[in-house]
Amino acid sequence: MAEANRTGILAKAQKRLSRTKTKVLQTFGKADKSTDESFDELVQKTEKQQEVAQHLQKEIKTYLHCVRALGQASKSLATAVSQTYEEEWTDAAEVKKSLESVDLLWTDYQQNVHEKVLDVLNDYIASFPSLKARIAKRGRKMVDYDNSRHNLAVLQTAKKTDEAKITKAQEDLNESKRIYEELHKELCADLPDFYNSRITFYADIFQKLFGQESILHCELATISDTVNTINEKLATEFLHFAYKPRRPLSQSVSDNSQTRFYATLNSEEQELNGESSPKHQPLSASAIQSTPSRQQDTVSKGHFYSNEDEAKSPVRINGSIDNKEEPTGKTRQLPQHKDIDDEEEERVPENSIYEVPGGEEEEEAEAYQDNPSNRPLFEPPPDALYQVEATHAYYGEDEDELSFEAGDIIYVIPFENEDEQDEGWQMGVRQKDGIKGVFPENFTRQL
């Protein structure tokens, strides 16, 4: 038995040496080389087919890894939602039951894709090594066939011919040719069939893959619709518990209001002493009535005298009674609004003053901050960044917020102190009347 093994090893070594010698001779053109371009094209297609299948296999493995992670994340989210949803809330048992089924859906989907897609693709790829081994064997037998042809040609062209060697070489040539042609014929039949079978194979693979994915999404959509319907019912039943936090006032606007207050105090003292400020003239009743936006802001702080008699009523200034008549054409307004009878004398607290529009503001800010006539701004303020258009109506809740209607144009200006700017809020000036305030950015669109 050892002798037989030794003989077999020597025979294989001799064949390899003979094939190597033939390839060298073919490289230098000393021996003929068999070629088949159509077969070589089939081999290239098979190699390309294997590369595509291996790439798809790699991506499906990555996809399943992500599905596993997504399923775990979905399970964790469903658990958190279930723990958040309290027992006394609407249909709590049904919500928790629906959320528990999410984990099962992801587990079933992952298992089905692995068994019906990835395992089938692995078996398909496993058929390539045996097929390529047959192609390699056919290549070796082709070299043997070329070697036999070369040996026979050398013996036939020798100066001294040996019939016995020529006969033996002819027999070797016939045998090598038979083996080579059998392998070649089988491969020429199998390779095209195997290459064309990829169409139906991938169609089945994709059908299973996307079919399972469709089932998963449909089931998840059903659960989502159920839970969403229950939460809509929950929100309706507990609507009276809604809470809306209030945004803190902007410090910069408060500082401006305080500055205007003291500027107004100085202006009032000058007018009560018979002096008049040429820069800030009080508004007449007709001017106030023609500007509803400004009038609304004034009424929130006080009220106007409606006739000449009330304008002559005594008022208390710094603890003393002043019967000085109002100059003709000028209308005063009180800081606070009080309801009084016709016979009762109207008085104001000590240390209070009449409010006069305007103040000792910077010249640049007067174009939009204090606009006594409520006239529209025909040009943007000097520090305007850009302008926006209101897409929805907004009614401010705080005194520093800017109210507007849909379609109003607002010039956006920078905050005096950037640290006081809240996220999602901008400082702006309304174009139609020059009133300034903060407003929510998501109620507008930039032009």
Side-chain angles (χ1 to χ4, degrees):
M1 184 175 180
E3 186 67 24
N5 291 335
R6 188 179 300 110
T7 303
I9 293 174
L10 291 175
K12 289 181 179 179
Q14 186 177 2
K15 281 186 176 181
R16 289 181 180 178
L17 180 60
S18 177
R19 289 167 184 164
T20 303
K21 179 181 178 181
T22 302
K23 290 180 180 179
V24 171
L25 292 174
Q26 289 175 348
T27 302
F28 290 99
K30 302 296 183 179
D32 295 335
K33 181 178 181 181
S34 299
T35 58
D36 190 341
E37 294 181 358
S38 60
F39 184 83
D40 293 340
E41 184 178 355
L42 290 175
V43 173
Q44 292 177 359
K45 288 182 178 180
T46 304
E47 293 176 351
K48 179 65 176 178
Q49 185 178 0
Q50 184 182 16
E51 292 177 3
V52 171
Q54 290 175 344
H55 178 69
L56 180 61
Q57 179 192 43
K58 177 183 177 182
E59 294 302 327
I60 290 180
K61 287 182 178 179
T62 304
Y63 175 73
L64 282 175
H65 179 73
C66 296
V67 167
R68 190 179 301 111
L70 183 59
Q72 185 63 34
S74 180
K75 177 183 177 181
S76 300
L77 177 61
T79 302
V81 174
S82 180
Q83 293 174 353
T84 305
Y85 204 95
E86 300 179 9
E87 295 292 339
E88 61 272 14
W89 292 0
T90 306
D91 297 335
E94 185 175 357
V95 170
K96 295 179 182 295
K97 181 179 178 181
S98 299
L99 294 175
E100 288 175 358
S101 61
V102 172
D103 183 38
L104 287 176
L105 289 176
W106 283 105
T107 303
D108 292 343
Y109 174 67
Q110 179 183 346
Q111 183 177 358
N112 290 332
V113 171
H114 196 285
E115 294 177 355
K116 298 180 180 180
V117 178
L118 184 59
D119 290 346
V120 176
L121 184 59
N122 291 337
D123 295 339
Y124 176 73
I125 294 177
S127 61
F128 283 96
S130 61
L131 192 61
K132 295 183 74 173
R134 292 172 60 191
I135 294 174
K137 183 178 180 181
R138 179 254 183 198
R140 293 192 300 269
K141 296 305 177 182
M142 184 181 67
V143 174
D144 293 342
Y145 172 61
D146 291 340
N147 184 37
S148 299
R149 286 194 305 160
H150 176 69
N151 292 336
L152 180 61
V154 170
L155 292 174
Q156 289 177 346
T157 58
K159 293 181 180 180
K160 189 176 180 179
T161 60
D162 187 346
E163 294 296 333
K165 290 183 178 180
I166 292 175
T167 303
K168 182 68 170 67
Q170 186 67 46
E171 291 177 357
D172 292 343
L173 175 62
N174 293 335
E175 181 64 17
S176 61
K177 181 179 180 181
R178 181 188 64 80
I179 296 174
Y180 165 71
E181 287 181 349
E182 286 180 358
L183 291 173
H184 180 74
K185 185 178 180 180
E186 290 177 359
L187 289 172
C188 287
D190 293 344
L191 289 180
D193 292 341
F194 181 74
Y195 180 74
N196 293 330
S197 66
R198 76 192 191 284
I199 303 175
T200 55
F201 172 77
Y202 286 131
D204 183 61
I205 286 289
F206 295 154
Q207 182 180 3
K208 292 176 181 178
L209 174 62
F210 294 108
Q212 293 299 323
E213 187 174 5
S214 176
I215 293 174
L216 171 68
H217 290 312
C218 288
E219 294 294 335
L220 289 177
T222 302
I223 294 176
S224 299
D225 291 340
T226 302
V227 176
N228 186 42
T229 302
I230 295 175
N231 279 275
E232 289 179 354
K233 183 178 178 182
L234 174 68
T236 303
E237 292 179 354
F238 292 87
L239 184 62
H240 55 286
F241 290 127
Y243 170 73
K244 183 179 180 182
R246 298 181 63 85
R247 192 180 63 81
L249 294 177
S250 175
Q251 184 66 28
S252 61
V253 177
S254 301
D255 295 341
N256 292 337
S257 301
Q258 185 176 6
T259 303
R260 289 196 299 270
F261 173 80
Y262 287 110
T264 304
L265 177 61
N266 295 333
S267 176
E268 286 295 331
E269 290 177 354
Q270 293 177 3
E271 293 183 359
L272 291 176
N273 294 330
E275 300 177 358
S276 178
S277 174
K279 186 174 182 180
H280 300 288
Q281 294 294 336
L283 294 177
S284 63
S286 60
I288 295 175
Q289 293 175 359
S290 62
T291 55
S293 300
R294 188 66 174 177
Q295 183 178 357
Q296 182 180 359
D297 182 66
T298 305
V299 171
S300 64
K301 302 176 181 178
H303 71 279
F304 301 103
Y305 288 116
S306 60
N307 52 51
E308 185 177 356
D309 295 336
E310 284 185 301
K312 298 180 180 179
S313 300
V315 294
R316 184 178 298 273
I317 302 299
N318 297 329
S320 62
I321 301 298
D322 188 0
N323 294 325
K324 190 174 183 178
E325 293 185 358
E326 181 86 0
T328 305
K330 297 182 180 179
T331 305
R332 300 285 185 181
Q333 51 186 350
L334 293 175
Q336 296 183 354
H337 179 67
K338 294 182 179 180
D339 295 331
I340 58 176
D341 297 331
D342 293 340
E343 298 87 11
E344 187 177 357
E345 183 180 60
E346 182 180 359
R347 298 182 179 273
V348 294
E350 295 183 0
N351 299 328
S352 65
I353 62 166
Y354 297 120
E355 179 178 346
V356 178
E360 298 297 330
E361 298 290 328
E362 296 180 357
E363 293 294 333
E364 188 176 10
E366 290 181 3
Y368 52 86
Q369 188 167 348
D370 294 322
N371 191 13
S373 60
N374 284 7
R375 290 192 299 268
L377 300 178
F378 297 103
E379 294 183 359
D383 55 349
L385 303 176
Y386 55 88
Q387 62 182 7
V388 297
E389 180 183 4
T391 56
H392 302 83
Y394 178 74
Y395 304 100
E397 298 180 356
D398 297 332
E399 62 181 11
D400 66 331
E401 295 183 5
L402 182 64
S403 301
F404 49 79
E405 300 292 339
D408 286 354
I409 302 299
I410 302 173
Y411 297 115
V412 179
I413 60 175
F415 279 76
E416 295 181 1
N417 188 353
E418 295 183 356
D419 296 336
E420 298 172 357
Q421 182 175 3
D422 298 326
E423 183 178 359
W425 291 78
Q426 295 289 349
M427 178 72 72
V429 180
R430 199 163 54 195
Q431 188 268 343
K432 68 179 182 180
D433 51 18
I435 294 180
K436 172 184 173 183
V438 294
F439 64 93
E441 188 176 8
N442 59 346
F443 277 68
T444 63
R445 66 178 182 89
Q446 186 174 348
L447 298 178

